[in-house]
Amino acid sequence: MSLLQVRGLTKRFGKTDVLRGIDLDVQPGERIAILGASGSGKSTLLRCLNFMEMPDVGTVTLDGKVIGPSGKYRESELTQVRQRVGMVFQQFNLFPHMTAVGNVMEGLRTVRRQSKAEARTRAEKELARVGLADKAETYPAHLSGGQKQRVAIARALAMDPEMLLFDEPTSALDPELVGEVLNVIRSLADEGRTMLLVTHELGFAYHVATRIIFLADGTIHEQGTPDEVLKNPRQERTRAFLASHKQFSF
Amino acid sequence: MKWDFASVFDNTDALLAGAAGTLRLFAICLVCGLSLGLVVGLGRYARSKWLYWPATAFVEFFRNTPVLVQILWFYFALPILLPFTINPLAAAALGISLNSAAFSAEIYRGGIQSIDKGQWDGARAIGMGWGQAMRRIILPQAIKRMLPALTNRAIEIFKMSTLASAVAYVELLQQGKLIASLNFNPIEAYTAVAVIFFVFLWPLVQFTYVLERRLGRSE
């Protein structure tokens, strides 16, 4: 059974149809890279999956249970879903008034109501996993972009999500900091975690993803294995997109 | 002319009683005004029209009517409409608190709105509800930015307490008036009142400068 099933997902912003009827099935352990030009709806699709944006039409089914009904989402239901579907953002969105370990503990303390000691033990474990055990007491303002993003990943992991959504996790980073974040994501992939990743790092997508989805005009224009989509794209627009991304490669 | 403060010093007890009255009124209005302001400010920020419109009506009404008129209205008009009397402290506290709530509501709303939307995203992504996100993530950051404006509000509240003399509430100005009329020494009496206010407020104002500098540095 699919972990996540999406049917006819449509999202409008004003008069613009950003997503036009997306159908998607995510199996446990799948790693899906979502590619597409800016404005193709990649981020919006991701944000609809954990209801940071509310879909206008369509259903999202998580582990066999339909979320909704569409248009009548209850806050308590959505906060449950968001704990099960973790998200990592382009701009990290760390809480600047809390230390690194405080950021990771926050969900455990406030949402899960864990004791301070329990939350701290777990948070330190997650920070160690992303290689930041020594930065536990550091505030975000004193961390590099790569370190911030790793704290943000640890914060998401602490909630034990069944699935992780990465929304361009390296796009805001200086080039020399991209590697450390991709390494962490890759280690999560090696653990067999289910993840959806919006990215412009085609090489990373090729090596880590089990499936590539190419979005254009709010629909899934082409999808398949990395070899199929990235090496032998069938659609003209996919080819054009890949060509523009490889323009200066050597 | 000759300044003669002896007649003021003879009435130290009266001035002390006035200072106590001023501080009492200030404390009540500070707590009530700023906490009601937070509630109204959250209402102004809310998406539900059932919260937004009452909060907006409140802010507009109390920002656009003079506090002195409100105090007189609560003292003289309200008891005619309702079957109970109201003492000078209650009338003054109501007028000043409601007015301060209206002004501080706009400070709270502005402060909350100034927080980056990504902070909401970060909070919601780990499963926080609206209230949890507001209390744990948004307000702590917003209050820090609002502190200078809120301390200014506190200073305003302190000075507005003199309006309570219009309903004969025992506070500093009321006592000054009393001393001046009994001893025929308005220059000394009102000077003394002004000096006492200055002594209370000057350190508070200095504190806001320090606060502004410190918060400006960490941003």
Side-chain angles (χ1 to χ4, degrees), chain A residues 47 51-52 75 79 82-83 85 87 89 93-98 106-107 110-111 113 155 159, chain B residues 116-132 135-138 140-141:
Chain A
R47 290 172 65 86
F51 297 88
M52 304 296 280
E75 166 112 343
T79 56
R82 294 190 193 114
Q83 290 178 55
V85 182
M87 190 168 209
F89 303 90
N93 297 342
L94 289 184
F95 310 132
H97 58 305
M98 298 177 184
E106 185 55 27
T110 305
V111 180
R113 307 250 171 241
R155 181 174 70 179
M159 303 305 283
Chain B
D116 177 36
K117 289 275 175 285
Q119 290 294 305
W120 283 101
D121 279 358
R124 291 196 305 161
I126 51 173
M128 283 192 185
W130 190 90
Q132 289 173 330
R135 184 171 53 84
R136 295 284 309 161
I137 308 302
I138 306 301
Q141 297 180 59

Side-chain angles (χ1 to χ4, degrees), chain B residues 2-153:
Chain B
K2 212 166 122 262
W3 291 64
D4 173 22
F5 278 101
S7 57
V8 174
F9 287 122
D10 288 344
N11 292 288
T12 309
D13 287 352
L15 284 174
L16 279 177
T22 294
L23 287 174
R24 185 182 308 127
L25 183 59
F26 170 66
I28 294 170
C29 296
L30 187 71
V31 173
C32 296
L34 295 192
S35 45
L36 181 63
L38 175 60
V39 174
V40 177
L42 289 174
R44 287 272 285 157
Y45 182 72
R47 261 174 297 177
S48 157
K49 63 174 195 257
W50 298 103
L51 297 173
Y52 176 79
W53 284 110
T56 302
F58 177 92
V59 167
E60 291 305 329
F61 182 80
F62 284 101
R63 280 213 305 185
N64 294 300
T65 47
V67 187
L68 184 54
V69 174
Q70 287 161 22
I71 294 173
L72 292 173
W73 191 90
F74 282 121
Y75 191 65
F76 293 111
L78 193 63
I80 300 174
L81 299 172
L82 296 174
F84 55 78
T85 56
I86 189 165
N87 66 35
L89 173 62
L94 265 174
I96 296 169
S97 296
L98 293 176
N99 181 275
S100 302
F103 277 96
S104 59
E106 290 304 272
I107 299 173
Y108 286 113
R109 184 181 63 111
I112 291 167
Q113 273 174 344
S114 77
I115 302 297
D116 177 36
K117 289 275 175 285
Q119 290 294 305
W120 283 101
D121 279 358
R124 291 196 305 161
I126 51 173
M128 283 192 185
W130 190 90
Q132 289 173 330
M134 184 60 89
R135 184 171 53 84
R136 295 284 309 161
I137 308 302
I138 306 301
L139 275 182
Q141 297 180 59
I143 298 255
K144 203 176 134 187
R145 288 187 195 173
M146 295 183 286
L147 263 183
L150 289 177
T151 23
N152 275 330
R153 242 8 283 156

